Amino acid sequence: MVKSEMIFMVEEDVEGGYSASALGCSIFTEAETIVELKNNIKKALECHFDKKEDIPGVIILHIVREETLAYA
């Protein structure tokens, strides 16, 4: 059975750029920009799945961003 969607956890790297990992699946990639990351995710999906029809039709990017707030 083909999954209809897949979720990627996207995080900003401390040294710059972004990394993405699929939830429940061993797919990882990284890039300097979000646009490049989206393209890399598509390429990673094509490498991971044997058949194109097995690739989920909806890819959800859950973007996690850490910020520090100083309360003084």
Side-chain angles (χ1 to χ4, degrees), residues 30-67:
E30 58 188 11
E32 290 298 315
T33 67
I34 289 290
V35 172
E36 184 183 346
L37 185 69
K38 289 177 182 180
N39 289 326
N40 288 353
I41 288 172
K42 289 179 183 179
K43 290 176 188 175
L45 288 167
E46 291 171 1
C47 289
H48 181 79
F49 290 97
D50 293 329
K51 299 182 222 166
K52 258 192 165 162
E53 56 266 15
D54 290 341
I55 298 173
V58 176
I59 307 303
I60 299 169
L61 304 181
H62 181 75
I63 301 173
V64 178
R65 183 174 167 176
E66 185 175 319
E67 291 189 28

Side-chain angles (χ1 to χ4, degrees), residues 6-27:
M6 182 173 282
I7 301 172
F8 277 81
M9 182 73 67
V10 177
E11 297 179 291
E12 287 185 78
D13 289 331
V14 177
E15 298 170 359
Y18 300 88
S19 62
S21 59
L23 299 182
C25 198
S26 297
I27 304 174

